[in-house]
Amino acid sequence: MPLFSRIALLSSLSVSLFIAAPASANLIVNGSFEDPDVASGAWKAFDASAVAGWDGSRIEIWDNFNSETAYEGDQFAELNSDPGTGTAFSIFQDIATDIGQTYDMSFAYQARRSDNEEFEFSVTPDGGVAMSWLLSDHTTNGWSVFSDSFVATAINTRIMFTSVVPETGTVGNFLDDVKVTVAVPEPGTLALFSLGLLGLGMARRRG
């Protein structure tokens, strides 16, 4: 292949990578808790299995109730919804992952009544050891956003939220806009990759 054509092909590949980069889809189903629908200005408790994508304990879903508004969309969830259970509340999703692939994750969180509430966020590969984070820095003064990344070590990974303080009861932790996406290389990384391909093409040309 002529050098000019090879450069054009590599440039086209580089452009396509830049274009494709932002298109990574959210692997979490119903991460903003919009399904099932709750009437505006109201809230309702559901078994987690009745909330699209989620499983585990019961979840309260709020829609602009008690002057609280969602971080994204119209609705958000309260992690620990019913009193008197005697056990911590947990909600989770199991997602398909590729071993060795890096994933970005994020979600919004807010305390309902006080600034000493805590919950645990964990990422557990199927048959593996959980990575967990204790979220204790949230207040009632608006939404905070957690973000981090992980490398998958199994073909299935569980994303889970578990109440800590209060462990049970109806005052608890608001959640919204839960996302897990395939990590996209930084633009500089893509540029270096393109230059590497270009250098490879030129080296082959000289040979």
Side-chain angles (χ1 to χ4, degrees):
M1 180 184 294
L3 178 59
F4 177 80
S5 298
R6 187 172 294 144
I7 292 173
L9 175 61
L10 294 172
S11 298
S12 174
L13 175 61
S14 176
V15 170
S16 67
L17 285 170
F18 276 106
I19 292 173
S24 185
N26 187 9
L27 301 179
I28 295 293
V29 176
N30 194 27
S32 291
F33 303 97
E34 304 296 315
D35 182 11
D37 183 61
V38 174
S40 181
W43 67 272
K44 188 174 182 180
F46 300 90
D47 288 333
S49 58
V51 179
W54 295 95
D55 208 341
S57 307
R58 286 171 64 79
I59 309 174
E60 282 185 12
I61 294 181
W62 292 33
D63 188 324
N64 298 314
F65 177 70
N66 201 26
S67 300
E68 297 287 352
T69 57
Y71 177 81
E72 195 279 332
D74 296 319
Q75 301 184 165
F76 59 95
E78 182 188 351
L79 175 58
N80 28 328
S81 58
D82 292 336
T85 64
T87 57
F89 286 85
S90 293
I91 60 172
F92 62 87
Q93 280 196 35
D94 294 326
I95 60 174
T97 48
D98 295 324
I99 297 174
Q101 174 65 56
T102 300
Y103 293 86
D104 293 329
M105 53 194 176
S106 64
F107 55 86
Y109 59 103
Q110 182 181 172
R112 176 176 173 180
R113 285 191 183 174
S114 64
D115 58 4
N116 64 350
E117 297 173 7
E118 300 178 358
F119 66 95
E120 181 184 77
F121 172 64
S122 62
V123 177
T124 308
D126 188 19
V129 178
M131 297 179 291
S132 63
W133 296 259
L134 180 65
L135 280 297
S136 59
D137 62 340
H138 57 315
T139 73
T140 58
N141 297 321
W143 292 94
S144 301
V145 176
F146 169 91
S147 62
D148 209 324
S149 61
F150 69 95
V151 177
T153 59
I155 60 172
N156 291 293
T157 302
R158 175 164 293 185
I159 306 299
M160 184 162 67
F161 299 89
T162 303
S163 61
V164 175
V165 177
E167 187 177 51
T168 63
T170 58
V171 289
N173 306 283
F174 292 146
L175 298 170
D176 200 6
D177 199 25
V178 184
K179 293 178 180 176
V180 175
T181 58
V182 175
V184 175
E186 296 294 329
T189 303
L190 290 175
L192 289 173
F193 175 71
S194 300
L195 288 173
L197 288 177
L198 178 58
L200 180 61
M202 293 180 70
R204 287 180 176 174
R205 176 67 176 177
R206 292 192 192 99

